[in-house]
Amino acid sequence: MSEPQSPEPALIIQGDSPTGTRDEDAADGIQHSHRMLSFSDALLSIIATVMILPVTHTEISPEQFDKSIQKLLATRIAVYLMTFLIVTVAWAAHTRLFQVVGKIDDTLALLNLACMMTITFLPFTFSLMVTFPEVPLGIFLFCMCVIAIGAVQALVVVYAFHFPHLLHPQIEHSAHRGLYRQHILGIVLRGPALCFVAAGFSLFFYPLSYLLMATVIFLPYVSKASSWCKGRLVGPQEPPAHSVEFFTFDLHEPLSKERVEAFSDGVYAIVATLLILDICEDNVPDSKDVKEKFHGSLVAALSEYGPHFLAYFGSFATVGLLWFAHHSLFLHIRKATQSMGLLNTLSLAFVGGLPLAYQQTSAFAQQPQQELESVRVSCAIIFFASIFQFAIWTTALLHEGETLQPSARFGGREHAFMFAKLALYPCVSLLAFASTCFLSRFSAAIFHLTQIAVPFAFLLLRLLVRLALAPLHALQGLSLPAHRSEGSEDDARAPLLPSAY
Amino acid sequence: MSEPQSPEPALIIQGDSPTGTRDEDAADGIQHSHRMLSFSDALLSIIATVMILPVTHTEISPEQFDKSIQKLLATRIAVYLMTFLIVTVAWAAHTRLFQVVGKIDDTLALLNLACMMTITFLPFTFSLMVTFPEVPLGIFLFCMCVIAIGAVQALVVVYAFHFPHLLHPQIEHSAHRGLYRQHILGIVLRGPALCFVAAGFSLFFYPLSYLLMATVIFLPYVSKASSWCKGRLVGPQEPPAHSVEFFTFDLHEPLSKERVEAFSDGVYAIVATLLILDICEDNVPDSKDVKEKFHGSLVAALSEYGPHFLAYFGSFATVGLLWFAHHSLFLHIRKATQSMGLLNTLSLAFVGGLPLAYQQTSAFAQQPQQELESVRVSCAIIFFASIFQFAIWTTALLHEGETLQPSARFGGREHAFMFAKLALYPCVSLLAFASTCFLSRFSAAIFHLTQIAVPFAFLLLRLLVRLALAPLHALQGLSLPAHRSEGSEDDARAPLLPSAY
């Protein structure tokens, strides 16, 4: 059979992938890893966030808010936080691994799925651990999971180095390939080795196991933070000449910006979706109730749930706009450093808590006493989620030459506007929090209406920033003509802008 | 302040985006829409799938499986299917819209978020509609949502045509821009107009509203199917000369392959994650129970849940491997046509049903009578999910010149292997279904072990295909030397391979 002519379609809108080299590879069963990585990102971000559902499903009626409920709630929040933390650590390790392994084939894709399966099992081990802290089975299972993940990742490394065309080209053609392999295996197996010891101790002296587990989870963060502090204090050290290329894969390489974005998108998307799930499960009135209580009037029955819908739209607007701020921020970021990645994780952990805020403000909408409380919790969650976004921006400004696009740097055209955008949510939530302290009664309804009104603030923001900058530009135009995008006097003005809103 | 020097980092692994033109655009607040589209894909795929959760949360104890529970279950399944259908229609419309609008700015990003918010509210209107079919409020709210979505999309179109640099370059520079706008507005507002009429009728004669609603949902599919049939019967018509460019945006353009992949990834990821959620919520034993029933032995308490864990790993393996097959398939696809998109949607709808299958097989694991039933349901769901994937492949082969990479076409090197990969799941599930009919007792445990064993079948598959093809290649090598990638005799052999497994 002869090769059929491939007719060019009249108008292809969105880019087909370049077929040339890709097809060559596909013929050997070798694939670019892009789609597998997005799938892994989606899976990991969802698993990190979805553990907030058991927290929001905890039924609390205000009368019987006793010890056992408090304990259950605390347990579930602890599971959520631990899951979020460990999944982000696993995600970072996954990112690093697949920066080394540039292409995949079927075996690697299947190994990756095995790795994902083990990671999705981690939340269960946490549930066990937190429910039965004195029984060492939970920690034993956790350690087994980590060892399994490490084993699969080590297999991936060995396999990829056995078929070097799967590696990133720079390593494939490096003379030190053997050294690389040693080094990467070391990184991949460090955690599992600690967990192996912990699993051993869990059988006769489990408190030590908890200590070792904490080391595994926090070590990456602690080592990063300490090396950062050291770098600040001593100044950047010159690494030994032969190992420059070598250690680039460990601590100093930037995170893949694309994957940070994909992971964040997943978290925001699942949080936005969990909200409607609650609405659909709980807020459809029972047909018996409608007949008996409301004389068959569905509208009357639904108006009971009015505050829930307001809370839903308010929360969705907040999640959407936090995503929007994140999106604008990363649009101006060239490269994400490790510390920015860490701040992003913290911000996302609070975004994941938003369904809890929604639950709080909608469940307690009737009780005026606890209404203030729940509005405060919501404000706090939103404040922390947005302030960590702001911190990403501040950190990026520290090394703006490397990390930011020119237009967003000090004096760039978008600088002041970005500042205002990112400062909007911290300011609004702080204001709302403050008003709950001064006013004796701050209605949840007002809070949600504020949430819904914020998008318009975003739309007005550009206008306001332009207006505020106009006189400065005019002054500047008088003194030195035609220097549009480098007006350094704007900097001092920029921090004042958010309060103009 | 002078522009700081941007030091080149020693080794950047994964591609930073090309900064040149992008930064120019970012400075004007204009952005490539890539990330917003992935976020929308993630959101829509999750919302389409997550409505299966209320279905699996329906508590059915085998004793009291009475009418009211059956009705509740049927209601929730109906909500799931309707949501899935309407969200995929909305997603397709969104895809088409943002094939026309190539870039976004802040206003468009916010409008898109508003559109997403309205879409996430649709499941609630379905819940109302299905719970109170005789009250017209549900359909009225549904129509309002569709009208709101249409209004937002029309705003997007008007805004983008007002700032033509946001449009796809081909339209931006077209002479018929006005005509395009008319046409696209027509497409966007067609559904909402119908819904407006339906909303009117819902106030005094609601059955007609349901009819109109069904038209809105099914019209795209019906019109596609009928035009396809017509095309088959009459042969492709020559469109009038001046409108070739014009109608390309409506019916004949291919779907964006990237977005089809992103949407599918989202569905697979959320399905894989919903499984562990059930495990964590339901399978952590109560500490009182452990003390009283199991004399404090956590291991004994957990072994009660043994079948659940087996079911979890089996289901995860199935979801993962269906994703893997999908991934392999789309690796060889160059361009996704509308009919392939439709088949993909159908496949995904069944994938979304997998948590139900998991629930069935794990909940009824103890009752041998219903065990067979539930294994059958699972087999049916898996069979349909995989057979529609196979149908995508068959459809692609019909126009292989346009739709497939050369290596996957008839006679290509990967052709036989792809065939075997995609036929594996239909065959295995059919076999399992058949064995439930012949055997009086087919244990759910065996079923789950089969599920876990399938990955190894995938690994062996390549070997088996190679072995089966080797004698043919040898024969071929004797008759005509050196024709590696175009062995046309392989074709006849390929369909036989799956049964070799």
Side-chain angles (χ1 to χ4, degrees), chain B residues 81-98:
Chain B
L81 286 178
M82 285 166 81
T83 307
F84 202 94
L85 215 63
I86 189 79
V87 170
T88 48
V89 170
W91 172 78
H94 189 267
T95 309
R96 192 176 298 156
L97 184 60
F98 282 92

PDB file of all heavy atoms in Angstrom, chain B residues 81-98:
ATOM      1  N   LEU B  81     -25.393  12.295  33.978  1.00  0.00           N
ATOM      2  CA  LEU B  81     -25.315  12.195  32.517  1.00  0.00           C
ATOM      3  C   LEU B  81     -25.648  13.521  31.856  1.00  0.00           C
ATOM      4  O   LEU B  81     -24.960  13.948  30.921  1.00  0.00           O
ATOM      5  CB  LEU B  81     -26.262  11.106  32.021  1.00  0.00           C
ATOM      6  CG  LEU B  81     -25.774   9.683  32.288  1.00  0.00           C
ATOM      7  CD1 LEU B  81     -26.792   8.677  31.804  1.00  0.00           C
ATOM      8  CD2 LEU B  81     -24.434   9.433  31.611  1.00  0.00           C
ATOM      9  N   MET B  82     -26.686  14.209  32.354  1.00  0.00           N
ATOM     10  CA  MET B  82     -27.055  15.488  31.755  1.00  0.00           C
ATOM     11  C   MET B  82     -25.932  16.505  31.933  1.00  0.00           C
ATOM     12  O   MET B  82     -25.615  17.252  31.007  1.00  0.00           O
ATOM     13  CB  MET B  82     -28.341  16.016  32.383  1.00  0.00           C
ATOM     14  CG  MET B  82     -29.573  15.276  31.911  1.00  0.00           C
ATOM     15  SD  MET B  82     -30.993  15.649  32.948  1.00  0.00           S
ATOM     16  CE  MET B  82     -31.505  17.215  32.281  1.00  0.00           C
ATOM     17  N   THR B  83     -25.353  16.520  33.143  1.00  0.00           N
ATOM     18  CA  THR B  83     -24.251  17.456  33.372  1.00  0.00           C
ATOM     19  C   THR B  83     -23.111  17.168  32.417  1.00  0.00           C
ATOM     20  O   THR B  83     -22.553  18.071  31.795  1.00  0.00           O
ATOM     21  CB  THR B  83     -23.743  17.346  34.818  1.00  0.00           C
ATOM     22  OG1 THR B  83     -24.838  17.489  35.701  1.00  0.00           O
ATOM     23  CG2 THR B  83     -22.709  18.394  35.108  1.00  0.00           C
ATOM     24  N   PHE B  84     -22.771  15.888  32.311  1.00  0.00           N
ATOM     25  CA  PHE B  84     -21.634  15.539  31.441  1.00  0.00           C
ATOM     26  C   PHE B  84     -21.894  16.017  30.021  1.00  0.00           C
ATOM     27  O   PHE B  84     -21.033  16.613  29.375  1.00  0.00           O
ATOM     28  CB  PHE B  84     -21.394  14.029  31.465  1.00  0.00           C
ATOM     29  CG  PHE B  84     -20.006  13.677  31.057  1.00  0.00           C
ATOM     30  CD1 PHE B  84     -19.021  13.498  32.011  1.00  0.00           C
ATOM     31  CD2 PHE B  84     -19.667  13.568  29.726  1.00  0.00           C
ATOM     32  CE1 PHE B  84     -17.731  13.213  31.636  1.00  0.00           C
ATOM     33  CE2 PHE B  84     -18.371  13.290  29.353  1.00  0.00           C
ATOM     34  CZ  PHE B  84     -17.406  13.095  30.309  1.00  0.00           C
ATOM     35  N   LEU B  85     -23.116  15.764  29.564  1.00  0.00           N
ATOM     36  CA  LEU B  85     -23.468  16.103  28.187  1.00  0.00           C
ATOM     37  C   LEU B  85     -23.402  17.606  27.962  1.00  0.00           C
ATOM     38  O   LEU B  85     -22.749  18.080  27.028  1.00  0.00           O
ATOM     39  CB  LEU B  85     -24.885  15.595  27.925  1.00  0.00           C
ATOM     40  CG  LEU B  85     -25.162  15.096  26.535  1.00  0.00           C
ATOM     41  CD1 LEU B  85     -24.300  13.891  26.242  1.00  0.00           C
ATOM     42  CD2 LEU B  85     -26.616  14.720  26.411  1.00  0.00           C
ATOM     43  N   ILE B  86     -24.071  18.372  28.845  1.00  0.00           N
ATOM     44  CA  ILE B  86     -24.161  19.817  28.612  1.00  0.00           C
ATOM     45  C   ILE B  86     -22.790  20.460  28.794  1.00  0.00           C
ATOM     46  O   ILE B  86     -22.428  21.386  28.069  1.00  0.00           O
ATOM     47  CB  ILE B  86     -25.223  20.484  29.513  1.00  0.00           C
ATOM     48  CG1 ILE B  86     -25.464  21.936  29.116  1.00  0.00           C
ATOM     49  CG2 ILE B  86     -24.830  20.449  30.966  1.00  0.00           C
ATOM     50  CD1 ILE B  86     -26.343  22.098  27.938  1.00  0.00           C
ATOM     51  N   VAL B  87     -21.993  19.939  29.742  1.00  0.00           N
ATOM     52  CA  VAL B  87     -20.681  20.546  29.941  1.00  0.00           C
ATOM     53  C   VAL B  87     -19.782  20.280  28.739  1.00  0.00           C
ATOM     54  O   VAL B  87     -19.030  21.163  28.308  1.00  0.00           O
ATOM     55  CB  VAL B  87     -20.025  20.051  31.251  1.00  0.00           C
ATOM     56  CG1 VAL B  87     -18.578  20.477  31.335  1.00  0.00           C
ATOM     57  CG2 VAL B  87     -20.770  20.619  32.440  1.00  0.00           C
ATOM     58  N   THR B  88     -19.891  19.092  28.141  1.00  0.00           N
ATOM     59  CA  THR B  88     -19.062  18.866  26.957  1.00  0.00           C
ATOM     60  C   THR B  88     -19.520  19.744  25.805  1.00  0.00           C
ATOM     61  O   THR B  88     -18.689  20.221  25.024  1.00  0.00           O
ATOM     62  CB  THR B  88     -19.070  17.392  26.531  1.00  0.00           C
ATOM     63  OG1 THR B  88     -20.404  16.924  26.508  1.00  0.00           O
ATOM     64  CG2 THR B  88     -18.256  16.542  27.470  1.00  0.00           C
ATOM     65  N   VAL B  89     -20.837  19.978  25.697  1.00  0.00           N
ATOM     66  CA  VAL B  89     -21.308  20.897  24.659  1.00  0.00           C
ATOM     67  C   VAL B  89     -20.745  22.297  24.915  1.00  0.00           C
ATOM     68  O   VAL B  89     -20.226  22.951  24.008  1.00  0.00           O
ATOM     69  CB  VAL B  89     -22.854  20.928  24.611  1.00  0.00           C
ATOM     70  CG1 VAL B  89     -23.342  22.055  23.720  1.00  0.00           C
ATOM     71  CG2 VAL B  89     -23.404  19.613  24.133  1.00  0.00           C
ATOM     72  N   ALA B  90     -20.813  22.737  26.181  1.00  0.00           N
ATOM     73  CA  ALA B  90     -20.300  24.067  26.523  1.00  0.00           C
ATOM     74  C   ALA B  90     -18.798  24.139  26.268  1.00  0.00           C
ATOM     75  O   ALA B  90     -18.280  25.151  25.790  1.00  0.00           O
ATOM     76  CB  ALA B  90     -20.597  24.390  27.980  1.00  0.00           C
ATOM     77  N   TRP B  91     -18.119  23.018  26.572  1.00  0.00           N
ATOM     78  CA  TRP B  91     -16.677  22.992  26.359  1.00  0.00           C
ATOM     79  C   TRP B  91     -16.352  23.122  24.871  1.00  0.00           C
ATOM     80  O   TRP B  91     -15.443  23.857  24.487  1.00  0.00           O
ATOM     81  CB  TRP B  91     -16.095  21.694  26.927  1.00  0.00           C
ATOM     82  CG  TRP B  91     -14.675  21.494  26.586  1.00  0.00           C
ATOM     83  CD1 TRP B  91     -13.600  22.084  27.167  1.00  0.00           C
ATOM     84  CD2 TRP B  91     -14.156  20.668  25.549  1.00  0.00           C
ATOM     85  NE1 TRP B  91     -12.440  21.664  26.560  1.00  0.00           N
ATOM     86  CE2 TRP B  91     -12.760  20.799  25.571  1.00  0.00           C
ATOM     87  CE3 TRP B  91     -14.747  19.826  24.603  1.00  0.00           C
ATOM     88  CZ2 TRP B  91     -11.940  20.119  24.678  1.00  0.00           C
ATOM     89  CZ3 TRP B  91     -13.933  19.151  23.726  1.00  0.00           C
ATOM     90  CH2 TRP B  91     -12.548  19.290  23.764  1.00  0.00           C
ATOM     91  N   ALA B  92     -17.112  22.403  24.035  1.00  0.00           N
ATOM     92  CA  ALA B  92     -16.868  22.477  22.593  1.00  0.00           C
ATOM     93  C   ALA B  92     -17.092  23.897  22.091  1.00  0.00           C
ATOM     94  O   ALA B  92     -16.311  24.417  21.278  1.00  0.00           O
ATOM     95  CB  ALA B  92     -17.759  21.491  21.856  1.00  0.00           C
ATOM     96  N   ALA B  93     -18.154  24.556  22.591  1.00  0.00           N
ATOM     97  CA  ALA B  93     -18.423  25.931  22.185  1.00  0.00           C
ATOM     98  C   ALA B  93     -17.283  26.855  22.633  1.00  0.00           C
ATOM     99  O   ALA B  93     -16.843  27.729  21.889  1.00  0.00           O
ATOM    100  CB  ALA B  93     -19.742  26.402  22.788  1.00  0.00           C
ATOM    101  N   HIS B  94     -16.784  26.603  23.851  1.00  0.00           N
ATOM    102  CA  HIS B  94     -15.682  27.392  24.388  1.00  0.00           C
ATOM    103  C   HIS B  94     -14.433  27.211  23.517  1.00  0.00           C
ATOM    104  O   HIS B  94     -13.742  28.179  23.190  1.00  0.00           O
ATOM    105  CB  HIS B  94     -15.424  26.929  25.831  1.00  0.00           C
ATOM    106  CG  HIS B  94     -14.477  27.776  26.589  1.00  0.00           C
ATOM    107  ND1 HIS B  94     -13.133  27.509  26.654  1.00  0.00           N
ATOM    108  CD2 HIS B  94     -14.666  28.901  27.310  1.00  0.00           C
ATOM    109  CE1 HIS B  94     -12.554  28.427  27.392  1.00  0.00           C
ATOM    110  NE2 HIS B  94     -13.455  29.283  27.809  1.00  0.00           N
ATOM    111  N   THR B  95     -14.157  25.951  23.147  1.00  0.00           N
ATOM    112  CA  THR B  95     -13.015  25.675  22.281  1.00  0.00           C
ATOM    113  C   THR B  95     -13.119  26.462  20.986  1.00  0.00           C
ATOM    114  O   THR B  95     -12.167  27.103  20.544  1.00  0.00           O
ATOM    115  CB  THR B  95     -12.976  24.174  21.956  1.00  0.00           C
ATOM    116  OG1 THR B  95     -13.071  23.445  23.153  1.00  0.00           O
ATOM    117  CG2 THR B  95     -11.704  23.803  21.234  1.00  0.00           C
ATOM    118  N   ARG B  96     -14.330  26.399  20.390  1.00  0.00           N
ATOM    119  CA  ARG B  96     -14.509  27.063  19.106  1.00  0.00           C
ATOM    120  C   ARG B  96     -14.319  28.563  19.246  1.00  0.00           C
ATOM    121  O   ARG B  96     -13.660  29.197  18.433  1.00  0.00           O
ATOM    122  CB  ARG B  96     -15.915  26.744  18.607  1.00  0.00           C
ATOM    123  CG  ARG B  96     -16.121  27.137  17.184  1.00  0.00           C
ATOM    124  CD  ARG B  96     -17.489  26.714  16.736  1.00  0.00           C
ATOM    125  NE  ARG B  96     -17.646  25.277  16.797  1.00  0.00           N
ATOM    126  CZ  ARG B  96     -18.832  24.677  16.909  1.00  0.00           C
ATOM    127  NH1 ARG B  96     -19.927  25.387  16.976  1.00  0.00           N
ATOM    128  NH2 ARG B  96     -18.897  23.370  16.936  1.00  0.00           N
ATOM    129  N   LEU B  97     -14.886  29.114  20.319  1.00  0.00           N
ATOM    130  CA  LEU B  97     -14.799  30.558  20.545  1.00  0.00           C
ATOM    131  C   LEU B  97     -13.343  30.996  20.653  1.00  0.00           C
ATOM    132  O   LEU B  97     -12.927  31.976  20.038  1.00  0.00           O
ATOM    133  CB  LEU B  97     -15.563  30.912  21.816  1.00  0.00           C
ATOM    134  CG  LEU B  97     -15.659  32.387  22.175  1.00  0.00           C
ATOM    135  CD1 LEU B  97     -16.361  33.146  21.080  1.00  0.00           C
ATOM    136  CD2 LEU B  97     -16.402  32.565  23.481  1.00  0.00           C
ATOM    137  N   PHE B  98     -12.546  30.233  21.424  1.00  0.00           N
ATOM    138  CA  PHE B  98     -11.166  30.665  21.622  1.00  0.00           C
ATOM    139  C   PHE B  98     -10.226  30.165  20.532  1.00  0.00           C
ATOM    140  O   PHE B  98      -9.025  30.359  20.625  1.00  0.00           O
ATOM    141  CB  PHE B  98     -10.688  30.284  23.022  1.00  0.00           C
ATOM    142  CG  PHE B  98     -11.212  31.236  24.051  1.00  0.00           C
ATOM    143  CD1 PHE B  98     -12.395  30.990  24.716  1.00  0.00           C
ATOM    144  CD2 PHE B  98     -10.556  32.434  24.295  1.00  0.00           C
ATOM    145  CE1 PHE B  98     -12.895  31.891  25.628  1.00  0.00           C
ATOM    146  CE2 PHE B  98     -11.053  33.340  25.211  1.00  0.00           C
ATOM    147  CZ  PHE B  98     -12.229  33.071  25.885  1.00  0.00           C
TER     148      PHE B  98
END
